[in-house]
């Protein structure tokens, strides 16, 4: 299984989770774990996703998520879990 981490940060508003999950569903990416909080009006979400069966390349998915972030006025990133695994090995 290939996994990635999606992070979302910005001002809270209606429809954030729906838009992001819509992009992931269209791309055939499964959400394995999700955590979201709102602190002082700022929305923060972290998702661990399974990209094994993704229809798009990793770069195409990153571009789609970036576009949704621009539309919502938020920062959305997707990173391979290998980055986080390597940080814990050091």
């Amino acid at each position: 299984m290939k996994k990635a981490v999606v992070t979302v940060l910005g001002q809270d508003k209606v429809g954030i989770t729906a838009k992001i999950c819509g992009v992931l569903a269209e791309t055939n990416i499964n959400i394995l774990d999700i955590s979201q909080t709102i602190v002082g009006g700022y929305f923060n979400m972290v998702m661990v996703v399974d990209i094994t069966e993704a229809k798009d390349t990793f770069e195409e998915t990153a571009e789609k998520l970036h576009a949704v972030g621009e539309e919502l006025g938020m920062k959305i990133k997707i990173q391979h879990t290998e980055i986080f695994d390597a940080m814990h090995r050091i």
Side-chain angles (χ1 to χ4, degrees):
M1 177 183 314
K2 290 190 218 175
K3 293 192 247 178
V5 176
V6 177
T7 56
V8 183
L9 180 61
Q11 293 226 328
D12 187 33
K13 59 187 74 168
V14 174
I16 297 168
T17 304
K19 286 216 179 240
I20 295 166
C21 290
V23 169
L24 297 176
E26 289 170 8
T27 310
N28 200 40
I29 292 176
N30 188 38
I31 299 168
L32 302 173
D33 199 0
I34 185 171
S35 173
Q36 61 184 38
T37 56
I38 300 167
V39 178
Y42 289 96
F43 179 91
N44 183 27
M45 180 166 63
V46 178
M47 292 187 273
V48 177
V49 297
D50 179 1
I51 59 172
T52 307
E53 302 292 325
K55 295 177 185 175
D56 294 339
T57 66
F58 189 82
E59 292 75 19
E60 289 168 335
T61 301
E63 288 173 16
K64 286 180 180 183
L65 289 171
H66 178 76
V68 169
E70 290 284 316
E71 178 185 330
L72 294 171
M74 307 189 84
K75 294 287 184 187
I76 304 175
K77 292 187 177 188
I78 184 168
Q79 298 172 296
H80 289 283
T81 55
E82 287 89 0
I83 293 169
F84 299 97
D85 294 340
M87 287 183 343
H88 291 289
R89 274 187 251 132
I90 295 177

